[in-house]
Amino acid sequence: MRTRKLFLSIILVAFFSAAGCNNQAAKKDSSNTQTTTEKVVYTCSMHPEVQSDKPGSCPKCGMDLVKIK
């Protein structure tokens, strides 16, 4: 009888530990999707009014556009 209780306790601990790990993995996955949906904007360091959604060069001075965080 004592071994049966010990075995059931071990099974329950293993089950709840696995359920907790799966929950943490789901939280990490949802945080990754939020960061990928951010809009990326590129601008010229000399002309901040020039903005683009893709990398390239500034039409005013020809410098490379840099990513804004």
Side-chain angles (χ1 to χ4, degrees):
M1 183 72 158
R2 186 175 177 139
T3 8
R4 181 178 281 176
K5 286 183 182 179
L6 179 63
F7 180 72
L8 287 175
S9 298
I10 292 172
I11 295 296
L12 287 174
V13 168
F15 174 75
F16 287 114
S17 296
C21 291
N22 289 338
N23 191 16
Q24 290 175 355
K27 288 180 183 177
K28 287 181 183 177
D29 290 340
S30 66
S31 66
N32 287 342
T33 56
Q34 291 174 353
T35 57
T36 57
T37 58
E38 291 180 4
K39 184 178 178 184
V40 179
V41 179
Y42 295 88
T43 187
C44 176
S45 55
M46 295 294 292
H47 304 99
E49 68 276 5
V50 175
Q51 294 185 348
S52 175
D53 59 343
K54 56 188 175 213
S57 59
C58 175
K60 292 184 178 182
C61 65
M63 290 180 63
D64 290 337
L65 299 179
V66 293
K67 188 185 306 186
I68 298 176
K69 294 185 179 179

